[in-house]
Amino acid sequence: MSHTTDSSGPASQIVGRDKDPFLGEDNPFEAMMARFDNAAERLHLDPGIYRVLRQPEKQIIVSVPIVREHGEIEVFTGYRVLHNTSRGPAKGGIRFDPNVTLDEVKALAAWMTWKCAVVNIPFGGAKGGVVCDPPNLSIVELERITRRYTAALFETLGPESDIPAPDVNTNERVMAWVMDTYSMHVRHSVTAVVTGKPIEMGGSLGRREATGRGCMIVTKEALAHLGIPAHGARVAVQGFGNVGSVAAQLLQRDGLAVVAVSDVSGAICNPKGLDVDQVLSWVREHRYLAGFPGADAIAPDELLTLDVEVLLPAAVEHAITRRNASKIKAKVVCEGANGPTTPSADKILEEHGVFVIPDILANAGGVTVSYFEWVQDRAAYFWDEVTVNDRLTTILQRSFHDVLSVARRHEVNMRIAAYMLAIERVAAVHRLRGLYA
Ligand code: NAD
């Protein structure tokens, strides 16, 4: 068992940097729901079910008072939104960020409902957040916020009802505190109350790599569908963090040529193919890509418009906009990041025949292995990594083809098809369950 409570050091040691805020629209919930509306209309969704799905089931606002290190009390605001739990317990991350708003949390909770439904795992959608600025908090303060927020949500959380996970500025250490706080309240250890935990305390093998692995799996399915040989296919990856670096590594192992990668420090390119393992060692040592020998530095925006077969945006939202969409030469765009393509860019990419694997499918590998973690915790029986990866592959390959068949049947692009599939799955359960009382 690792000792996870440290009493010193700045919180920046344990918080993720560079994680993106959600869509910068005035009202992110409405921005998300515009896509939902489009798919719902094509499905001729029953107006009653439409009204049910447009509203989150539960929105909770809590005060999170803590004693700061200097002795003063400060009160933070926390949110938890459960969008829909018709298919199973709510699932969704907790983010710590100064820009967290209730509308953002609502939007992200709905997004989780659709993501879980696309890959057909028995979860609904949720999201949570605390308005705070982790780089300006100590680890002790971060732990106090986490524990008090968890305690405030005690009635909602639970392996049968609402299961958090890491998100922006939270990680496995924060999840360990959530699990411990919840367990102290119920007086026994409940590992399945959160996912994304350290392996030593009930986390799953393969969870860290799951999102990048999922990107690799669906990219290969897309290439096969388009009749493009995977071997030698050129790939450009924007973002070299958890998702981008793992996807790049796995794609290269499968014979694709990763010709360009980027991070906040800039972009590098080698038309003959980068040695991704060497790039990773460089980043481990120097933190950033800049200065990597054996590649040319290119402008970050140039990466997006390189002559490649696959473009994998895995960094920020709104990377592909109406300004650059018509210059994109990739045949396949695999959305590792959440929301990397704006709706106006969607239209342009479609007109240019670019095959987009939408975020709610492309990056669903993470939540799928979170589901495996929950299953393993509840069974108290842990799988080896090969089993985790094989089952992930089965689910993502099947989901890709489920979405593709909706796209063909309704003559829509993969994004609309993914939403249609997800909404139809959630609506079907509502029809079967009916309305209580
Ligand atoms: P991360 O913080 O580990 O990595 C982000 C990477 O993007 C870093 O290399 C950073 O330097 C780079 N970056 C930031 N701004 C950039 C810019 N303007 N141009 C180029 N590179 C830039 O984050 P992550 O976990 O890999 O997540 C990346 C994206 O994937 C986010 O949108 C996240 O919401 C999404 N996502 C992640 C997971 C997961 O399991 N980690 C699951 C689903 C979706």
Side-chain angles (χ1 to χ4, degrees):
M1 181 86 59
S2 67
H3 182 68
T4 57
T5 304
D6 190 353
S7 58
S8 63
S12 54
Q13 279 177 9
I14 71 167
V15 300
R17 294 166 20 84
D18 305 324
K19 299 266 173 91
D20 54 319
F22 181 67
L23 299 171
E25 317 276 342
D26 285 348
N27 185 325
F29 185 68
E30 288 307 320
M32 134 120 292
M33 279 303 177
R35 285 166 172 175
F36 164 80
D37 284 352
N38 184 335
E41 206 172 298
R42 288 172 193 270
L43 281 170
H44 305 294
L45 190 65
D46 173 89
I49 291 182
Y50 171 81
R51 282 194 286 273
V52 170
L53 297 184
R54 240 188 165 276
Q55 294 297 327
E57 279 175 20
K58 198 183 273 188
Q59 303 174 55
I60 306 167
I61 305 176
V62 292
S63 284
V64 184
I66 66 151
V67 180
R68 298 287 305 260
E69 297 259 34
H70 48 63
E72 281 193 8
I73 291 175
E74 187 164 340
V75 184
F76 298 89
T77 301
Y79 304 107
R80 185 78 183 161
V81 173
L82 275 56
H83 173 258
N84 189 286
T85 59
S86 57
R87 289 168 45 86
K91 186 90 194 76
I94 298 171
R95 54 176 57 186
F96 288 171
D97 193 87
N99 300 315
V100 168
T101 63
L102 183 59
D103 271 329
E104 179 191 72
V105 176
K106 278 165 66 179
L108 291 163
W111 204 326
M112 286 303 295
T113 301
W114 315 133
K115 200 181 278 191
C116 293
V118 167
V119 285
N120 214 2
I121 56 178
F123 285 146
K127 207 77 179 190
V130 178
V131 187
C132 64
D133 190 18
N136 291 319
L137 294 164
S138 71
I139 288 184
V140 170
E141 291 167 337
L142 208 59
E143 179 174 355
R144 287 178 188 158
I145 290 175
T146 306
R147 289 187 182 278
R148 185 64 189 236
Y149 172 74
T150 305
L153 294 175
F154 178 69
E155 286 82 7
T156 303
L157 301 179
E160 312 281 354
S161 52
D162 182 15
I163 309 142
D167 198 82
V168 175
N169 287 338
T170 57
N171 62 6
E172 59 178 39
R173 190 172 198 189
V174 174
M175 294 306 109
W177 293 328
V178 173
M179 179 271 179
D180 181 68
T181 307
Y182 183 86
S183 298
M184 294 312 289
H185 277 256
V186 295
R187 303 260 177 246
H188 59 94
S189 293
V190 185
T191 51
V193 69
V194 282
T195 61
K197 297 180 294 293
I199 303 279
E200 301 92 316
M201 53 181 286
S204 178
L205 294 170
R207 171 67 175 77
R208 196 187 67 78
E209 299 83 6
T211 306
R213 180 174 293 278
C215 292
M216 176 273 284
I217 295 165
V218 293
T219 296
K220 283 172 55 189
E221 292 303 304
L223 291 173
H225 161 66
L226 297 172
I228 300 170
H231 193 83
R234 294 158 302 167
V235 187
V237 182
Q238 184 196 40
F240 204 64
N242 176 264
V243 179
S245 68
V246 172
Q249 207 172 21
L250 295 176
L251 285 166
Q252 185 174 59
R253 275 184 207 160
D254 271 354
L256 288 86
V258 178
V259 294
V261 295
S262 68
D263 68 5
V264 274
S265 74
I268 56 170
C269 176
N270 181 343
K272 295 201 186 97
L274 296 157
D275 183 329
V276 178
D277 289 333
Q278 271 181 18
V279 181
L280 264 172
S281 319
W282 173 270
V283 170
R284 268 188 214 115
E285 202 178 323
H286 300 88
R287 190 156 176 209
Y288 295 115
L289 286 170
F292 175 74
D296 298 324
I298 56 168
D301 286 350
E302 203 185 326
L303 177 137
L304 298 168
T305 56
L306 285 174
D307 185 15
V308 290
E309 278 68 42
V310 179
L311 174 62
L312 206 159
V316 289
E317 80 212 23
H318 295 182
I320 305 173
T321 66
R322 77 158 68 97
R323 277 192 291 285
N324 59 9
S326 60
K327 297 186 209 136
I328 284 176
K329 300 186 192 71
K331 308 284 179 296
V332 174
V333 171
C334 175
E335 296 186 335
N338 283 322
T341 311
T342 63
S344 41
D346 261 350
K347 236 174 117 210
I348 301 169
L349 293 179
E350 190 171 4
E351 282 161 14
H352 284 71
V354 180
F355 187 90
V356 178
I357 314 170
D359 45 15
I360 57 171
L361 170 64
N363 68 36
V367 75
T368 303
V369 176
S370 271
Y371 163 58
F372 295 163
E373 181 175 333
W374 176 79
V375 169
Q376 292 170 78
D377 287 338
R378 282 160 61 97
Y381 181 73
F382 290 87
W383 311 345
D384 60 33
E385 198 164 346
V386 173
T387 305
V388 171
N389 293 343
D390 283 352
R391 289 179 178 174
L392 173 64
T393 305
T394 303
I395 286 184
L396 285 188
Q397 285 178 339
R398 187 186 62 212
S399 304
F400 178 90
H401 290 284
D402 286 349
V403 174
L404 188 60
S405 70
V406 173
R408 282 177 166 152
R409 201 162 58 246
H410 292 272
E411 296 179 348
V412 294
N413 65 37
M414 289 288 278
R415 188 183 317 280
I416 300 294
Y419 274 87
M420 289 174 77
L421 179 67
I423 293 167
E424 184 45 40
R425 280 181 174 156
V426 179
V429 174
H430 275 277
R431 281 194 289 272
L432 288 167
R433 286 180 64 157
L435 277 189
Y436 173 68

